[in-house]
Amino acid sequence: MKQHLQCVDNDQYRYRYRYRSIVDRLKTLLNLEISPAYDRQKRREVLHESLTFSYSLWRKLFVARCFKIVDLPQFYFNRETVDIALSYIDEYLYKKGADVFDDDDNIASQSGQQQQGKRLKILILSSACLFLAIKLHESNHQFDIPTLVRLNNEQFTRQDIVEAEKDILTVLDFSLSPPTIMSFVPLYLAFLDGTGSTIAIDGEVPLSDEAIKHVTGLAKFLSELSMYDGFFADKDVSKIALACVLTAFEGISRDDFPQAYRQIVVDCVFQEGKLDCTDETVYECRNIIQTDSCRLRLSGRKVGLHRRDGLRVQDETP
């Protein structure tokens, strides 16, 4: 009996320690999110004025190109690195001005040489952002500037990337570790383990590892899908991540993932992070994510398991 009580005490201590670690990490990310360096809401007016067709198309092409590079078998980079690179470029456009993108009329009125020069400038800038994210947040040092130039068919030079990198660092004031959607998603779902809910809830069957893996993978896939859409450029990543998790819950039956477990996540996120699942921004993000996901299915493009732990679009070129 004494040994049994000691085991219970050890389990309770482990859950309390795990729970506090999750809460501390969540609050750190939320504080980072509202810091002047990473506050996305300040971008709202500037970026929305620049959400032209050209910008939207460029964003899709940029994200697709980045995912293809990070998924190359010789590198196996973390796909979250794409989210970081996208944060760099969005912040750069906010601070430097998004006038590098023209509307259709302006582009049509430009000469072919002018159009090509602008596209090359955008390509260099976006490639430099990806290279900077990889250099700072990945451990594979085989990826260097010559490799980046070669992967882009030598459309630019090493010096072009060096100069662009200097410009980006100056504009971003060396704020290079932004919170990402993918940093919040597993944290929200970790509350299930942190509260001991994965082991037992009265009257409910314990959650299986397959159910948790399915929801986590689907939420990560939805977070990657949201990167293609300029709508999310000025939305808090914590709310986008919550929208992804709530939408992922809809992708699994309540028999496999009962409502009681879903409520644990919602309650803990609200209690510890003050994030409300009925928040207007969360609601808007869910609608857009569902629309984008529906559009993806209607397009007939296949969705399969990602090679590591998420889901991916098998043909990611928009």
Side-chain angles (χ1 to χ4, degrees):
M1 181 66 177
K2 183 177 181 181
Q3 184 178 5
H4 174 70
L5 290 176
Q6 185 177 3
C7 291
V8 172
D9 289 341
N10 289 337
D11 286 341
Q12 290 177 348
Y13 175 79
R14 180 168 64 88
Y15 292 138
R16 283 199 299 268
Y17 178 80
R18 170 70 171 159
Y19 186 83
R20 290 313 314 170
S21 297
I22 297 169
V23 172
D24 290 343
R25 175 61 177 161
L26 177 60
K27 290 184 176 180
T28 298
L29 286 175
L30 289 173
N31 288 332
L32 188 64
E33 183 181 48
I34 61 175
S35 65
Y38 302 118
D39 184 7
R40 285 185 164 213
Q41 294 185 14
K42 65 190 178 185
R43 306 174 183 172
R44 187 154 299 159
E45 294 182 3
V46 175
L47 288 184
H48 275 196
E49 290 175 356
S50 304
L51 289 182
T52 61
F53 174 80
S54 299
Y55 174 83
S56 299
L57 177 61
W58 165 84
R59 188 184 184 91
K60 293 176 182 178
L61 293 174
F62 169 70
V63 173
R65 186 188 301 115
C66 287
F67 277 135
K68 286 183 177 180
I69 291 176
V70 301
D71 280 340
L72 289 174
Q74 61 265 41
F75 302 125
Y76 280 115
F77 293 134
N78 192 327
R79 290 167 73 88
E80 185 179 357
T81 304
V82 178
D83 201 353
I84 296 173
L86 188 61
S87 177
Y88 291 168
I89 193 71
D90 282 339
E91 187 67 12
Y92 179 92
L93 293 177
Y94 160 70
K95 291 183 175 179
K96 196 71 177 284
D99 55 351
V100 293
F101 302 102
D102 292 317
D103 56 36
D104 295 336
D105 293 336
N106 288 337
I107 286 182
S109 65
Q110 293 178 348
S111 66
Q113 187 175 2
Q114 288 176 316
Q115 293 180 39
Q116 185 177 5
K118 187 171 287 289
R119 291 193 183 101
L120 181 58
K121 178 181 178 181
I122 295 170
L123 177 62
I124 293 171
L125 180 63
S126 56
S127 298
C129 284
L130 177 61
F131 177 70
L132 195 56
I134 289 173
K135 183 165 66 172
L136 293 175
H137 298 278
E138 298 287 352
S139 58
N140 188 334
H141 299 294
Q142 296 179 352
F143 191 85
D144 52 16
I145 295 182
T147 301
L148 180 66
V149 172
R150 178 172 49 81
L151 289 173
N152 285 276
N153 300 319
E154 299 184 351
Q155 297 181 65
F156 47 77
T157 66
R158 179 185 183 279
Q159 190 59 31
D160 290 331
I161 295 298
V162 171
E163 294 299 325
E165 188 177 35
K166 291 179 181 177
D167 187 27
I168 293 167
L169 290 172
T170 301
V171 172
L172 299 188
D173 195 24
F174 290 85
S175 297
L176 303 172
S177 298
T180 64
I181 306 171
M182 294 186 197
S183 63
F184 278 99
V185 166
L187 202 56
Y188 293 158
L189 295 173
F191 276 117
L192 290 170
D193 183 47
T195 56
S197 302
T198 50
I199 294 183
I201 289 182
D202 291 342
E204 298 289 354
V205 177
L207 273 180
S208 66
D209 291 339
E210 290 75 14
I212 297 176
K213 183 177 179 179
H214 179 86
V215 170
T216 302
L218 182 54
K220 287 185 175 181
F221 166 71
L222 293 173
S223 72
E224 293 176 4
L225 187 62
S226 71
M227 296 180 203
Y228 289 91
D229 199 324
F231 169 83
F232 298 98
D234 62 355
K235 302 298 184 292
D236 292 337
V237 290
S238 59
K239 294 181 179 181
I240 301 173
L242 182 56
C244 290
V245 170
L246 295 174
T247 305
F249 282 155
E250 299 174 6
I252 187 171
S253 72
R254 296 185 184 276
D255 292 334
D256 295 327
F257 206 111
Q259 178 62 34
Y261 294 104
R262 307 176 191 218
Q263 195 63 45
I264 286 289
V265 174
V266 171
D267 290 345
C268 288
V269 169
F270 178 73
Q271 179 180 345
E272 304 296 349
K274 309 305 180 195
L275 292 166
D276 188 352
C277 67
T278 63
D279 178 83
E280 182 178 356
T281 301
V282 175
Y283 180 77
E284 290 177 348
C285 289
R286 289 184 68 183
N287 281 339
I288 296 296
I289 289 170
Q290 290 169 347
T291 301
D292 288 344
S293 180
C294 180
R295 188 183 300 119
L296 181 68
R297 291 195 298 271
L298 291 176
S299 70
R301 289 159 67 192
K302 297 179 180 179
V303 177
L305 283 174
H306 181 247
R307 55 177 167 74
R308 278 164 282 186
D309 57 0
L311 297 173
R312 67 176 177 88
V313 182
Q314 291 182 350
D315 174 16
E316 290 178 327
T317 304

